[in-house]
Amino acid sequence: MARGFDVIVVGAGHAGVEAARAAARMGCSVGLCTLSEATVAHMPCNPAIGGTAKGHLVREIDALGGLMGEAIDATGIQFKLLNRSRGPAVRSPRAQADKRRYGAWVAAALRREAGIAWIFGRVGRLVERGGVVAGVELEAGSGAAAGERLHARAVVVTTGTFLNGLVHVGDRRTPAGRAGEPPSHLLAESLKGLGLSWGRLKTGTPPRLDRRSIDFSRFEKALGDEEPVPFSFLTPTIDRPQIVCHQLHTTEQVHEMVQANIARSPLYNGRIEGIGPRYCPSLEDKVMRFPHHERHHVFLEPEGLDVDEVYVNGCSMSLPAEVQEALVHALPGLEDAVMMRPGYAVEYDFVQPTSLARSYEAREVKGLFLAGQVNGTSGYEEAAGQGIIAGINAARAVAGEDPFVLGRDEAYLGVLADDLTTRGCLEPYRMFTSRAEYRLFLRIDNADLRLTERGREVGLVGDRRWARFENRRSRFERNLRRVSGTTVTLRNGRRARASQALRRPDTMLDELTSGGGLRLEVGSGEEQVDVCSVETHFKYAGYLERQAATIDRGRRMEGRRIPRAFSYAGVPGLSLEIVERLSAVQPETLGQALRVPGVTPAAVALIGAKVGGK
Amino acid sequence: MFATDDTIVAIATPPGPGGIGIVRLSGPRASEIAAAILSGPGNLEPRRATLTHALEPSRQRSIDRVLATYFPRPRSYTGEDVVEISGHGSPVVLRRIVESATAAGARLAEPGEFTFRAFLQGRMDLVQAEAIHDLVTAVTPRQARVAFDQLEGTATAAICAVEDALFNVVARLEASLDFPEEGYHFVDAKAAGVEVAELADRVRRLIASSRQGRLIREGCQVAVAGKPNVGKSSLFNVLCGVQRTIVANTAGTTRDLVTETIHLAGIPVTLVDTAGIRATSDAVEAEGVSRARGAVEAASAVVVVVDRSRVLDQDDRVLLRQTEGRSRLVVANKRDLPTAWSAEEQLEVGSGSPLVETCLIDGSSADTIREALLGLLEGKAPGRDPPAISNARHIGLLTSAETALRRAAAAAEGGATEELLLVDLEEARRALEEVTGKRTPDAVLERIFERFCIGK
């Protein structure tokens, strides 16, 4: 008898673990396929979570009931809130992780889920019948359950860089999904038979150095915040001691060495076909593309409290190992550093996400979901954000329910799904705050107000989180009334409504509560969020109203649905190019159609006339 | 909106008899329909004028000898397949050719439909499509020149230059927000505010140029006012160059409004002659006076005529006071007679607006008045360069762009951070993009295209 599950998740990286947990919490039996428990929620590149816009994604995942926020709060070793000098909408938490503890924490959390069964082995084939997923088949000789066929009603593929992965270090090319781990070739070919469109991308990682060989006193210190801001709404405070990172800079000599060896870089000698991310350039790219920069930042980041590997942030490269070693030694202060392993570039196949609906379900194969780096994104947070939504939708598909789709005006998670499935990827996709046109609404301080109720509705938010949230929301509402109803004394002696006083750029809430006669209600361990969400509500009021007006205008377009399998060729006046693009993307609404690259407002007006409705 | 998958046909030349008249076909079946209604075997050779006959639907009889040219897509006016058939410019002949084409499957084009298709096919942007309308409806050479420049893309270029500069600021602000730890200096909010203020000034200058542009495109109305029998109608006739209204020595000869359109250096000016404004008990005259006051109110400029051979009285003073602050020219008439004004009175009349002294009975003052009026209409800097902007829709959008830019600049000065400035800057960008049609909602499109005449 073959084993069967409601949902099978292929891969236990950041996307896979969120998908498996979400589906299990929603009552599904889940089979989680991974090669080894040691690489669950692994961080093969930067040992950090968060950053601008990425921190927003983590808060949103947490607000929906996901894992990532609690995991990093429990295992982070240095926390920093970015963009502190700017407004609350663009502040974003970032933390260095102890990568081993992070993975172990997540694995333990999944082990506590009764609905998840672990399957150690390599998935070789997706089983599909008549455009509907039926399960997966494990590769022969790939582990405990070799050759076994597993039935499932939904499959979530989260294979990261493993599909036909190829690792480059100088001239050395090794088929691998990550350094030292064999790639998935059979699964890649099986998925390619399903009519999805494909592309090839590249990413890279820097060398790792031995902590014991570095004299850190020679570098500038890079410190975290004194009072760490947690990622999760459930974490009251973080009082673990924090580690120190260090900063140095590249020199002209280093740049000259890179130039002298550039022909040995697979990035520059034509051996790499995949397209790399422009926002995360390799050292080769930095030197070649920005010759006017005299120096570039380099950060030394420990990969954990009791790990000797140090991550050399800012120096991702794929030059031959001996060149990398020489380059490291040329960095001032690292003359004697021992390189434990070289950096590398990895090329991999990805599914062009325009083949997917915004639920991450493949349009051509019912029950097949894809999430994470396999969809062309980069970053653990982007992966986790897709994983949780794909997991929710896999569970809903099994239950015969409508897809769960967040709007661009509701969450960065909505922006992510819409961008990927509408525009596709020309380079690895990373989230930025500038991608969110409703940025002022999508803040870390209101992620729970935006999303926790949605998470509760789909069955992902447990009772503990829900009770805490309900208190927090009613506190928020009472605080709004207090601020609107209290008259305070300002520094200049004048009296004004607290809500009006807060609109001035230089008046902050703590000034009104400490001396102005305003009293706020705060939850224990929730001051930060309580104060910030109230303050921002009033500080941004004028701008929020204007942005709200835009959202209303936008919603009209978002509300006009385009029927499934709509024939664009049948719309008079559309150019052939636009017909091709729209047919490939199959947008679900007129608003989405307008965001497809190259599609003009005039074209959308024509489609609107055909689709009808207002 | 129009259907756009069929083949349309219309007469492209003006109605009425002419030397040549053109029927234009556009759409996927243009070539096929042309073959069906023209004599001779097979399809037309691309881009080559072919002498042939236009036939009746039965193909039994010729309608006219014509010259036909086939422009295959995309290099045609609409970007679709186009056939132009030039016949003799008889309305009857051209109509019969069109009927033949509709019998062969073409549809009669709606107003503006050819240009709409050109826009859809990306052959021109919105500003250019609008310019085509202006060009074909131009009455004066200056109107034609402004419209043609816009068709050639001068307005688009001017707006795109601002848009580019704005996008540059926006990109740097966004980069500062999204890459706070890169260590590269993009731009700080305060410095960006200064750049934005400069951009607002640039938009302001574009709008300022539009004052003249609109004047040329839309023209204006000028009311001639004064108390009875000071020479208003003489002035009106001198400007019109014809005896348009009755001139008599009897006060109150003009009872109703008389209008006439003249061209002043390429600007269409509608002149309104009014009844003499004075207190009166005559019912008919009172109605005339009331209409005169209305015309003065509605006009964009006023010419106040005063008789300098008579002492200023209450009626003169009331009118001068009522038109104070308006765009106004004062004409002190009857220079041929000795003045009755004291030095103070002379000063009183001349304060606040240009003053010319004239003698209207012999017409020798015509040029002086024209020049003074033109100066008044064009403002201080008469345009040597053609203005880039002349269309009210563009001016409205540019004005909202300027407002948003000013708001951002002020916020930056007040210490607002990047993400807030960007709300206003995005609003400004949206307005600028809407001018050229990159983000125009369909309602605006419809509004623009419904104003076209058939066949253009």
Side-chain angles (χ1 to χ4, degrees):
Chain A
M1 257 299 280
R3 280 195 283 174
F5 300 93
D6 292 327
V7 177
I8 285 178
V9 177
V10 182
H14 302 280
V17 297
E18 296 288 356
R21 169 109 163 334
R25 284 268 163 121
M26 288 167 68
C28 289
S29 62
V30 177
L32 177 58
C33 304
T34 179
L35 298 173
S36 148
E37 201 178 321
T39 50
V40 169
H42 187 46
M43 298 189 191
C45 194
N46 200 346
I49 296 285
T52 47
K54 290 164 170 279
H56 288 74
L57 285 171
V58 181
R59 275 271 169 109
E60 291 179 354
I61 292 165
D62 182 69
L64 283 176
L67 278 169
M68 189 171 243
E70 287 182 86
I72 184 62
D73 284 345
T75 59
I77 52 180
Q78 188 200 67
F79 290 81
K80 192 169 181 179
L81 187 66
L82 302 182
N83 270 334
R84 244 179 217 281
S85 66
R86 291 165 175 127
V90 291
R91 286 179 206 152
S92 213
R94 179 181 192 270
Q96 295 298 127
D98 182 317
K99 63 188 246 186
R100 259 191 227 165
R101 289 197 167 93
Y102 183 93
W105 190 97
V106 172
L110 292 185
R111 249 182 272 111
R112 286 195 298 273
E113 299 294 330
I116 297 179
W118 295 78
I119 296 150
F120 295 102
R122 181 185 305 276
V123 170
R125 197 165 78 85
L126 188 94
V127 184
E128 163 255 2
R129 268 182 226 106
V132 182
V133 147
V136 300
E137 211 170 74
L138 296 174
E139 263 183 51
S142 73
E148 193 182 354
R149 181 178 276 209
L150 306 170
H151 294 302
R153 296 163 68 192
V155 173
V156 186
V157 173
T158 68
T159 45
T161 58
F162 274 72
L163 297 183
N164 286 328
L166 185 62
V167 164
H168 296 257
V169 182
D171 294 339
R172 254 188 40 230
R173 280 188 294 192
T174 322
R178 292 188 290 238
E181 298 178 71
S184 288
H185 174 68
L186 291 178
L187 181 59
E189 299 316 308
S190 155
L191 287 169
K192 279 183 186 176
L194 297 175
L196 308 164
S197 46
W198 292 81
R200 199 146 170 88
L201 292 174
K202 168 259 155 187
T203 187
T205 194
R208 308 300 201 275
L209 308 180
D210 190 333
R211 179 206 315 250
R212 294 160 299 187
S213 66
I214 301 171
D215 174 7
F216 288 99
S217 68
R218 297 184 57 183
F219 308 115
E220 218 177 294
K221 285 181 179 174
L223 299 169
D225 292 338
E226 278 180 27
E227 282 179 49
V229 175
F231 283 80
S232 172
F233 287 99
L234 298 181
T235 309
T237 50
I238 294 165
D239 34 28
R240 280 190 306 286
Q242 297 197 50
I243 57 118
V244 177
C245 295
H246 295 88
Q247 188 185 0
L248 56 151
H249 297 99
T250 58
T251 61
E252 299 272 357
Q253 192 207 341
V254 170
H255 298 185
E256 280 161 23
M257 286 172 72
V258 171
Q259 277 164 347
N261 287 286
I262 199 68
R264 303 182 69 188
S265 166
L267 270 179
Y268 276 82
N269 61 19
R271 295 183 73 125
I272 288 183
E273 297 159 14
I275 300 161
R278 279 172 306 173
Y279 46 81
C280 181
S282 61
L283 186 62
E284 291 99 306
D285 278 338
K286 285 182 187 175
V287 170
M288 300 307 287
R289 290 193 2 224
F290 307 100
H292 49 287
H293 284 282
E294 282 166 26
R295 58 178 208 175
H296 298 278
H297 291 278
V298 176
F299 292 91
L300 298 178
E301 297 168 351
E303 300 218 324
L305 293 177
D306 39 21
V307 184
D308 291 325
E309 286 197 340
V310 171
Y311 181 89
V312 191
N313 193 345
C315 282
S316 109
M317 54 181 144
S318 51
L319 287 158
E322 67 274 16
V323 178
Q324 293 194 31
E325 197 151 22
L327 278 170
V328 165
H329 291 157
L331 287 166
L334 292 177
E335 293 81 359
D336 301 319
V338 173
M339 187 171 85
M340 297 178 82
R341 55 190 176 98
Y344 61 85
V346 58
E347 281 187 282
Y348 53 96
D349 287 345
F350 77 102
V351 173
Q352 195 51 266
T354 47
S355 316
L356 309 177
R358 286 181 290 182
S359 60
Y360 296 110
E361 185 171 22
R363 271 198 311 271
E364 305 301 325
V365 187
K366 224 168 147 344
L368 172 63
F369 296 79
L370 290 104
Q373 212 162 355
V374 68
N375 285 344
T377 59
S378 82
Y380 313 136
E381 307 79 2
E382 287 83 352
Q386 294 166 70
I388 191 168
I389 302 294
I392 290 172
N393 281 310
R396 290 178 71 85
V398 166
E401 289 166 335
D402 285 344
F404 175 74
V405 173
L406 294 169
R408 299 181 69 89
D409 53 348
E410 280 180 293
Y412 276 89
L413 292 172
V415 174
L416 178 65
D418 187 70
D419 275 354
L420 290 176
T421 58
T422 306
R423 296 164 171 274
C425 293
L426 296 175
E427 66 179 317
Y429 179 100
R430 192 212 128 145
M431 186 51 76
F432 294 112
T433 70
S434 51
R435 295 196 195 269
E437 58 273 47
Y438 307 121
R439 173 164 55 197
L440 297 189
F441 273 106
L442 309 183
R443 306 188 306 270
I444 56 169
D445 64 73
N446 68 0
D448 56 343
L449 297 169
R450 290 184 278 125
L451 297 173
T452 298
E453 195 162 7
R454 305 290 306 268
R456 180 73 174 175
E457 283 161 12
V458 297
L460 196 49
V461 167
D463 292 342
R464 185 169 74 99
R465 184 187 287 270
W466 182 245
R468 192 176 161 98
F469 170 72
E470 281 196 309
N471 284 331
R472 131 90 169 143
R473 183 168 59 183
S474 53
R475 249 187 348 262
F476 171 73
E477 281 157 5
R478 284 195 298 276
N479 280 334
L480 291 189
R481 285 197 293 275
R482 277 183 192 221
V483 173
S484 304
T486 307
T487 305
V488 291
T489 309
L490 302 174
R491 258 170 299 173
N492 59 17
R494 284 216 206 108
R495 308 263 300 152
R497 273 243 175 219
S499 50
Q500 283 304 314
L502 279 174
R503 285 198 179 208
R504 305 152 63 102
D506 56 340
T507 306
M508 304 309 281
L509 198 53
D510 64 351
E511 181 187 329
L512 304 182
T513 47
S514 59
L518 176 70
R519 287 179 64 92
L520 274 196
E521 242 186 286
V522 292
S524 120
E526 294 175 86
E527 295 88 349
Q528 234 276 333
V529 167
D530 279 340
V531 170
C532 194
S533 51
V534 171
E535 184 172 81
T536 311
H537 179 90
F538 292 103
K539 273 220 159 315
Y540 275 6
Y543 287 96
L544 285 173
E545 281 156 22
R546 285 226 297 288
Q547 209 153 67
T550 323
I551 290 183
D552 279 346
R553 254 179 282 148
R555 275 212 180 111
R556 279 200 291 276
M557 290 288 269
E558 297 308 322
R560 292 182 64 185
R561 300 197 68 82
I562 302 173
R564 257 182 100 100
F566 179 77
S567 162
Y568 291 96
V571 179
L574 290 187
S575 73
L576 208 60
E577 192 193 353
I578 287 181
V579 168
E580 273 171 13
R581 286 187 184 195
L582 289 172
S583 306
V585 172
Q586 295 198 21
E588 292 160 48
T589 69
L590 287 183
Q592 202 187 348
L594 191 53
R595 291 190 292 276
V596 173
V599 174
T600 60
V604 173
L606 293 174
I607 299 163
K610 193 95 177 174
V611 168
K614 262 279 144 52
Chain B
M1 280 281 181
F2 314 122
T4 47
D5 57 345
D6 50 359
T7 300
I8 50 174
V9 63
I11 302 170
T13 39
I20 295 173
I22 298 176
V23 171
R24 186 189 265 163
L25 274 161
S26 176
R29 294 183 56 212
S31 170
E32 179 194 328
I33 291 170
I37 66 168
L38 298 174
S39 67
N43 291 334
L44 293 163
E45 196 181 328
R47 291 177 206 292
R48 210 186 157 103
T50 308
L51 190 61
T52 173
H53 283 87
L55 306 175
E56 286 189 338
S58 61
R59 289 189 72 86
Q60 297 301 312
R61 258 188 311 207
S62 282
I63 301 168
D64 191 12
R65 256 179 95 174
V66 298
L67 207 54
T69 318
Y70 168 43
F71 303 91
R73 72 190 174 90
R75 284 172 55 214
S76 71
Y77 178 76
T78 58
E80 304 177 318
D81 285 347
V82 166
V83 175
E84 288 186 1
I85 302 169
S86 309
H88 293 98
S90 143
V92 185
V93 166
L94 296 175
R95 217 160 31 235
R96 285 177 66 202
I97 297 176
V98 167
E99 280 163 12
S100 242
T102 50
R107 172 172 65 76
L108 207 55
E110 299 290 329
E113 207 172 346
F114 288 100
T115 306
F116 179 65
R117 289 187 173 195
F119 172 73
L120 281 182
Q121 298 291 330
R123 296 292 288 172
M124 59 183 76
D125 69 20
L126 210 43
V127 173
Q128 289 171 317
E130 289 167 309
I132 297 229
H133 171 258
D134 287 357
L135 187 59
V136 297
T137 54
V139 180
T140 77
R142 275 185 88 183
Q143 286 182 323
R145 184 165 159 215
V146 169
F148 182 70
D149 282 346
Q150 291 185 1
L151 179 58
E152 291 289 284
T154 50
T156 309
I159 292 162
C160 286
V162 176
E163 214 184 294
D164 271 4
L166 174 57
F167 187 59
N168 185 24
V169 182
V170 166
R172 279 178 296 148
L173 285 170
E174 292 286 8
S176 302
L177 286 180
D178 274 329
F179 303 97
E181 292 206 306
E182 294 294 298
Y184 304 132
H185 183 74
F186 298 104
V187 63
D188 67 52
K190 272 239 158 59
V194 175
E195 283 184 52
V196 168
E198 281 164 15
L199 282 177
D201 290 343
R202 271 170 80 177
V203 175
R204 176 87 293 221
R205 284 196 293 275
L206 276 177
I207 298 170
S209 90
S210 73
R211 195 181 107 83
Q212 205 205 350
R214 275 191 83 170
L215 198 61
I216 294 171
R217 182 171 182 268
E218 294 166 15
C220 63
Q221 201 163 64
V222 174
V224 182
K227 68 178 184 193
N229 205 20
V230 290
K232 294 182 297 300
S233 298
S234 301
L235 180 129
F236 184 82
N237 287 337
V238 162
L239 285 175
C240 295
V242 288
Q243 288 293 316
R244 178 72 175 74
T245 58
I246 303 160
V247 179
N249 259 333
T250 322
T253 306
T254 306
R255 288 292 178 91
D256 202 349
L257 303 178
V258 179
T259 64
E260 183 70 41
T261 299
I262 63 167
H263 295 148
L264 212 54
I267 301 172
V269 175
T270 305
L271 278 179
V272 188
D273 189 18
T274 66
I277 295 174
R278 64 170 170 185
T280 177
S281 52
D282 177 293
V284 179
E285 193 185 349
E287 177 57 28
V289 168
S290 142
R291 288 184 185 187
R293 285 191 206 284
V296 168
E297 280 296 310
S300 43
V302 193
V303 178
V304 176
V305 187
V306 199
D307 182 349
R308 68 196 274 285
S309 67
R310 285 188 286 168
V311 185
L312 279 186
D313 66 8
Q314 194 55 27
D315 288 330
D316 289 319
R317 289 205 162 90
V318 166
L319 184 61
L320 284 169
R321 205 166 47 239
Q322 279 170 348
T323 54
E324 224 174 299
R326 298 282 304 277
S327 175
R328 178 179 75 174
L329 175 68
V330 179
V331 172
N333 194 23
K334 305 191 186 174
R335 197 180 51 191
D336 50 320
L337 300 174
T339 180
W341 296 348
S342 66
E344 285 89 47
E345 280 173 321
Q346 177 83 26
L347 220 63
E348 183 187 341
V349 175
S351 81
S353 44
L355 171 77
V356 289
E357 300 197 338
T358 59
C359 172
L360 289 167
I361 36 172
D362 60 0
S364 65
S365 300
D367 288 343
T368 319
I369 298 168
R370 279 170 188 280
E371 211 165 287
L373 191 54
L374 185 64
L376 184 71
L377 296 179
E378 288 201 322
K380 286 199 174 58
R384 264 158 252 102
D385 299 324
I389 310 293
S390 62
N391 177 310
R393 188 181 73 88
H394 304 170
I395 296 166
L397 287 166
L398 285 173
T399 307
S400 10
E402 193 202 347
T403 310
L405 290 171
R406 298 257 178 241
R407 205 158 44 206
E413 211 177 302
T417 44
E418 291 88 342
E419 78 282 13
L420 298 179
L421 306 190
L422 282 163
V423 173
D424 288 321
L425 296 186
E426 270 305 319
E427 207 172 300
R429 268 188 76 201
R430 216 171 295 136
L432 292 177
E433 286 179 358
E434 209 171 294
V435 176
T436 49
K438 280 189 220 163
R439 280 199 219 181
T440 310
D442 50 352
V444 178
L445 286 176
E446 278 172 51
R447 169 95 187 267
I448 290 163
F449 287 107
E450 76 192 7
R451 292 167 43 241
F452 284 88
C453 320
I454 288 184
K456 272 180 268 353

